[in-house]
Amino acid sequence: IAARYAKVLRESGDLKKAQTILGPALKQKPVPTLAFTEMAAIDLETADFINAENFARRAIKVDNQNFRAWHVLGIALDAQTKHAEAQMAFE
């Protein structure tokens, strides 16, 4: 629920509040893959591409079929000029 609420907050432009909401969800065991994916998307919007890559990779580790995480990973890698890796993530 927290990750979905954070997604709505991010999409409405309230990135700080979205990060605050996700904090406790990222400390759960196990962490829901949507929480990792959403944090990666927030990091993309704040141009923290290294963190976005890390969170996207964590989401993929939990769920290799998470297409949103692969998409975010591709964008984060492309922004870091890791174009070959980005292309593989997009594929």
Side-chain angles (χ1 to χ4, degrees):
I1 293 169
R4 289 181 182 173
Y5 182 43
K7 181 177 187 270
V8 170
L9 290 168
R10 177 183 55 82
E11 289 173 346
S12 69
D14 198 344
L15 301 178
K16 290 287 186 194
K17 194 168 187 179
Q19 287 174 321
T20 300
I21 295 297
L22 275 178
L26 293 170
K27 294 177 183 165
Q28 289 180 326
K29 297 292 182 210
V31 176
T33 185
L34 181 58
F36 285 139
T37 306
E38 194 51 40
M39 194 63 206
I42 290 168
D43 286 335
L44 274 184
E45 291 205 27
T46 60
D48 188 346
F49 303 119
I50 293 171
N51 252 2
E53 176 187 353
N54 291 334
F55 277 112
R57 288 188 187 281
R58 289 171 76 181
I60 291 165
K61 188 174 182 180
V62 173
D63 177 9
N64 192 35
Q65 300 300 310
N66 184 335
F67 72 92
R68 285 189 65 230
W70 282 107
H71 183 79
V72 169
L73 177 61
I75 294 169
L77 291 168
D78 187 59
Q80 296 174 71
T81 66
K82 298 177 182 178
H83 302 300
E85 289 180 69
Q87 182 175 347
M88 288 185 349
F90 285 129
E91 291 174 355

